[in-house]
């Protein structure tokens, strides 16, 4: 494992974007596609904007969500809102290359199953993502995983629902299972 420390948020963001871009170019050259999963919160926002400026064969990129708050489309609490603002609007991605968690659906359990199937359509089975970008919240949570939440005990689903945390339930991809473990994980924190 390699640990790097940077002086400020911009330096962290640019280094993370460069690392992701290099992984994307390698995966697209090898397999014709790159599946990136991005967590929510403030951590990835600067990185996503820097990533949009990178030289990547964007037609082969698929952006998935690690977690998403249950909130209406376009709501500022939604991670998808920030993905679109910082990446979709600044990189040559088509909207269908960003795979949104369907959290507006009334049946959230069915929606979680639907998202797990969508991931398999993108990357195959078992679900192995190329790279997962995880942040770290000020209370130590990552990917909407909070100590004591029942979602931590879910072992039979690639996508599950959390309890209420900071006023909202969340949908979460399980990246801990050996079958769904990404080829690479990048953790960045500058909060």
């Amino acid at each position: 494992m390699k640990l790097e420390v940077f002086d400020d948020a911009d330096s962290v963001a640019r280094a993370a974007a460069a690392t992701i871009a290099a992984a994307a170019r390698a995966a697209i050259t090898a397999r014709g596609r790159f599946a990136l999963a991005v967590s929510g919160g403030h951590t990835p926002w600067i990185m996503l904007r820097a990533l949009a400026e990178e030289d990547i064969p964007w037609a082969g990129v698929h952006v998935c969500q690690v977690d998403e708050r249950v909130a209406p489309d376009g709501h500022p609490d939604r991670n998808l809102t920030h993905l679109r603002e910082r990446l979709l609007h600044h990189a040559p991605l088509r909207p269908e290359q960003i795979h949104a968690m369907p959290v507006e659906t009334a049946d959230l359990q069915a929606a979680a199953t639907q998202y797990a199937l969508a991931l398999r359509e993108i990357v195959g089975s078992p679900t192995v993502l190329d790279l997962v970008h995880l942040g770290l919240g000020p209370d130590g949570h990552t990917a909407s995983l909070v100590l004591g939440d029942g979602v931590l005990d879910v072992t039979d689903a690639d996508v599950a629902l959390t309890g209420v945390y900071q006023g909202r339930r969340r949908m979460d991809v399980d990246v801990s299972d050996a079958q769904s473990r990404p080829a690479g994980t990048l953790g960045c924190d500058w909060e």
Side-chain angles (χ1 to χ4, degrees):
M1 176 166 72
K2 181 179 179 182
L3 176 66
E4 294 183 63
V5 178
F6 297 91
D7 291 333
D8 56 47
D10 190 58
S11 298
V12 172
R14 295 212 172 275
T19 298
I20 293 168
R25 288 188 294 271
I28 292 167
T29 298
R31 291 184 309 287
R33 67 140 176 90
F34 175 68
L36 167 68
V38 181
S39 64
H42 298 277
T43 302
W45 295 354
I46 301 169
M47 179 279 298
L48 289 170
R49 191 63 190 271
L51 184 63
E53 298 170 5
E54 290 284 338
D55 182 22
I56 298 171
W58 288 100
V61 174
H62 292 272
V63 180
C64 306
Q65 293 185 271
V66 173
D67 60 336
E68 180 61 279
R69 292 169 186 87
V70 176
D73 189 34
H75 194 284
D77 283 353
R78 290 282 302 272
N79 299 332
L80 180 64
T81 302
H82 302 287
L83 269 175
R84 287 177 175 155
E85 288 173 357
R86 285 165 176 79
L87 190 57
L88 185 61
H89 295 165
H90 299 281
L93 278 173
R94 296 180 319 276
E96 60 270 17
Q97 289 175 265
I98 294 182
H99 304 278
M101 287 183 151
V103 296
E104 305 91 8
T105 307
D107 185 348
L108 289 172
Q109 191 57 54
T113 301
Q114 174 189 344
Y115 198 70
L117 292 172
L119 289 176
R120 286 187 198 112
E121 287 179 21
I122 298 163
V123 300
S125 183
T127 305
V128 179
L129 299 159
D130 291 300
L131 193 140
V132 175
H133 179 278
L134 297 173
L136 185 64
D139 62 359
H141 82 275
T142 188
S144 294
L145 300 174
V146 179
L147 189 62
D149 193 308
V151 74
L152 296 171
D153 298 322
V154 175
T155 59
D156 61 348
D158 289 337
V159 182
L161 299 164
T162 70
V164 175
Y165 172 66
Q166 296 179 342
R168 297 210 183 264
R169 289 190 75 194
R170 294 144 193 255
M171 188 175 289
D172 191 82
V173 171
D174 178 8
V175 295
S176 67
D177 181 33
Q179 290 187 354
S180 62
R181 188 169 295 136
T185 303
L186 178 65
C188 297
D189 180 43
W190 51 76
E191 292 183 27

